Amino acid sequence: MSFFDSLIDTPTYQSQIMSRPAGAPQTALPQQPMPQMPAQGMAKGGLTAANENIKQIQIMKVIANYFKNQGLPVEKAMVGVQKEIENGLELIPFESSVMGFKPLGKGVAQIHFFTVGSIKDLANDMEYFYKYLKNKGINTIYDSIPAPVTIQMFQKLGAQVMRSDNPKYKFKANI
């Protein structure tokens, strides 16, 4: 039995078509009562909430794969990310990358880039994140474990990269 056979009783349908006199009006389907489907409610928020959940899952997959590619213990690192989220870290996705963004004060933020793309992909994604930061009014950024491409891209985009004045971070840039 195929999927469509479960919707339309094929032998009954065929017998009705075959027994119809020539020239008789055609009805598309035999008249059968529509089966009653149980009412299914959507999660609060409907498709919007479902799409947001999918987006969050994809963001976490990017971060987990980033840690795996870096050779770091994924579970332990993800626990650390979750703690940071509880302390104000926002995760902003774009293409194959996610920027961790945590406001530290007026015009100052901590950032870190997670990517599953190539270095070239990250460089392209960073152009978006750079504009994002500028649009948020951020003029000073810090990162505790910057990748060399981060430093190069920020310099290329016009940021002044310097040694951090905060011992908690290894990277500082004025954008």
Side-chain angles (χ1 to χ4, degrees):
M1 178 184 270
S2 74
F3 171 74
F4 291 107
D5 289 335
S6 68
L7 297 176
I8 302 169
D9 181 14
T10 303
T12 303
Y13 178 73
Q14 288 175 343
S15 68
Q16 287 179 357
I17 297 297
M18 300 299 270
S19 65
R20 187 174 10 152
Q26 295 182 358
T27 57
L29 296 173
Q31 299 301 317
Q32 297 178 358
M34 193 69 166
Q36 290 295 328
M37 301 292 284
Q40 295 182 3
M42 295 200 92
K44 188 174 183 178
L47 288 177
T48 303
N51 288 337
E52 185 59 32
N53 287 340
I54 291 168
K55 178 179 165 185
Q56 292 305 316
I57 290 168
Q58 295 295 23
I59 288 170
M60 295 314 248
K61 283 182 178 181
V62 166
I63 294 171
N65 283 325
Y66 167 83
F67 288 134
K68 183 179 175 184
N69 293 339
Q70 296 293 316
L72 299 170
V74 175
E75 288 181 28
K76 184 178 178 182
M78 293 303 286
V79 168
V81 169
Q82 195 60 45
K83 285 181 184 176
E84 287 295 322
I85 290 170
E86 292 168 7
N87 291 317
L89 179 72
E90 298 173 42
L91 300 173
I92 296 95
F94 182 75
E95 301 292 337
S96 62
S97 302
V98 174
M99 179 177 68
F101 171 82
K102 185 176 182 181
L104 298 176
K106 186 174 175 154
V108 181
Q110 173 187 350
I111 55 113
H112 186 73
F113 300 104
F114 305 92
T115 191
V116 292
S118 67
I119 296 295
K120 184 178 178 185
D121 294 332
L122 177 59
N124 290 332
D125 296 350
M126 283 182 64
E127 288 184 48
Y128 169 82
F129 293 128
Y130 187 81
K131 291 176 187 173
Y132 176 90
L133 292 166
K134 289 189 77 78
N135 288 339
K136 289 279 272 183
I138 302 298
N139 51 38
T140 303
I141 54 171
Y142 290 95
D143 191 352
S144 53
I145 47 173
V149 69
T150 301
I151 295 166
Q152 293 168 356
M153 276 306 297
F154 274 120
Q155 288 173 328
K156 181 180 174 187
L157 292 167
Q160 296 175 341
V161 176
M162 61 196 74
R163 182 163 284 195
S164 178
D165 57 354
N166 184 331
K168 187 176 176 180
Y169 305 104
K170 294 181 180 173
F171 168 81
K172 177 183 178 182
N174 291 325
I175 59 174

